[in-house]
């Protein structure tokens, strides 16, 4: 099984709460850096203490995403996208619409060309810099 691991620039918790609501998922785990026992060899500054060390969001029994706030600033390059194939067209359109708010639409959600014309898909980079391919059967 492969699970995407997304690095964030300090807004992992906010993003995971949003994704949980958007995809009707459950946050199974969320730990923060302030939970690490104090260690003089690895001091944790006050800014980092409230950031997410590891999070897991389940959207089904076998699917989900994981992530954390990265210790160094990260760039979002777009070489990886997360595909969310949703069970209903209306769910896909709603998810796409919400992901596009404050995001960038790369390809509008629309009917796919033959031979895949029984489905819809679209691509969007959300406000956290994560690229999503949203799809569903018509």
């Amino acid at each position: 099984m492969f699970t995407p691991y997304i690095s964030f620039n300090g807004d992992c918790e906010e993003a995971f709460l949003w994704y949980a609501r958007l995809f009707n998922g459950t946050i199974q785990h969320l730990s923060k850096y302030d939970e690490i026992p104090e260690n003089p060899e690895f001091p944790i500054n006050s800014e980092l203490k409230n950031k997410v060390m590891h999070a897991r969001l389940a959207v089904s029994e076998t699917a989900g995403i994981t992530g954390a706030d990265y210790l160094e600033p990260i760039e979002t390059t777009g070489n990886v996208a997360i595909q969310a194939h949703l069970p209903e067209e209306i769910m896909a359109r709603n998810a796409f619409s919400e992901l596009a708010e404050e995001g960038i639409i790369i390809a509008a959600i629309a009917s796919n060309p033959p031979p895949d014309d029984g489905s819809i898909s679209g691509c969007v980079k959300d406000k956290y810099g994560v690229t999503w391919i949203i799809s569903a059967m018509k």
Side-chain angles (χ1 to χ4, degrees), residues 101-117:
E101 288 181 25
E102 300 180 53
I104 299 167
I105 295 174
I106 298 165
I109 195 161
S111 293
N112 291 320
D116 298 323
D117 53 346

Side-chain angles (χ1 to χ4, degrees), residues 21-97:
R21 182 185 57 76
L22 187 63
F23 294 110
N24 197 30
T26 303
I27 295 178
Q28 293 183 322
H29 180 81
L30 193 137
S31 60
K32 296 188 176 183
Y33 286 98
D34 67 355
E35 297 174 37
I36 297 173
E38 287 191 37
N39 180 346
E41 301 289 320
F42 185 67
I44 298 172
N45 67 42
S46 59
E47 184 180 324
L48 185 60
K49 285 188 176 189
N50 199 35
K51 301 301 179 190
V52 175
M53 183 172 58
H54 181 72
R56 171 154 172 65
L57 170 69
V59 294
S60 73
E61 286 185 30
T62 58
I65 58 174
T66 55
D69 288 315
Y70 202 64
L71 299 177
E72 301 290 328
I74 59 164
E75 294 182 30
T76 54
T77 59
N79 61 340
V80 174
I82 299 173
Q83 182 177 15
H85 185 76
L86 301 173
E88 297 176 14
E89 181 177 354
I90 190 70
M91 291 174 70
R93 291 189 182 280
N94 289 341
F96 187 90
S97 178

